[in-house]
Amino acid sequence: MTDSPDPMTATEEFADDAEYGWWLNTHPDGFVLAVRTRSAPLLHRATCPEVDRDVHPGRLRAKGARQVCADTKSALRAWLARELPGDGKLVARCPKCGP
């Protein structure tokens, strides 16, 4: 679902694995914010295997887990400020893909 057509604020979330996989494959320069209930949000590149639902199905589909996709980091920061205002500045970066 697209929140806004502006690339600086547009984000998408996909419940369907096929749509999510399509987005990852067609946006190799994009970013994914992995949000879990017990951890700080973690920023990844779209090409990072850590956000591949085929590689980590249990972790990425756990209750409360969300993967928010965007073409820009600023769009994900805007999403955090809007959706999780208390966590907006606590974004960690994946040490494996270094976004």
Side-chain angles (χ1 to χ4, degrees):
M1 167 187 245
T2 301
D3 293 334
S4 167
D6 179 359
M8 298 308 283
T9 60
T11 61
E12 299 190 56
E13 288 186 80
F14 303 97
D16 180 83
D17 289 349
E19 290 178 6
Y20 176 71
W22 174 86
W23 191 93
L24 293 179
N25 290 332
T26 59
H27 293 82
D29 295 327
F31 300 93
V32 176
L33 186 65
V35 181
R36 296 190 292 170
T37 55
R38 295 184 181 163
S39 304
L42 188 60
L43 182 66
H44 299 269
R45 294 185 182 278
T47 55
C48 183
E50 295 299 310
V51 290
D52 185 330
R53 289 181 181 171
D54 292 331
V55 176
H56 300 286
R59 175 177 42 170
L60 296 176
R61 290 188 195 110
K63 183 178 179 181
R66 299 169 74 178
Q67 295 84 52
V68 183
C69 307
D71 288 322
T72 64
K73 293 178 192 177
S74 61
L76 294 172
R77 283 189 211 101
W79 181 90
L80 269 174
R82 191 174 58 249
E83 300 292 325
L84 303 171
D87 293 337
K89 296 183 181 176
L90 299 176
V91 177
R93 295 172 53 174
C94 174
K96 295 181 180 178
C97 68

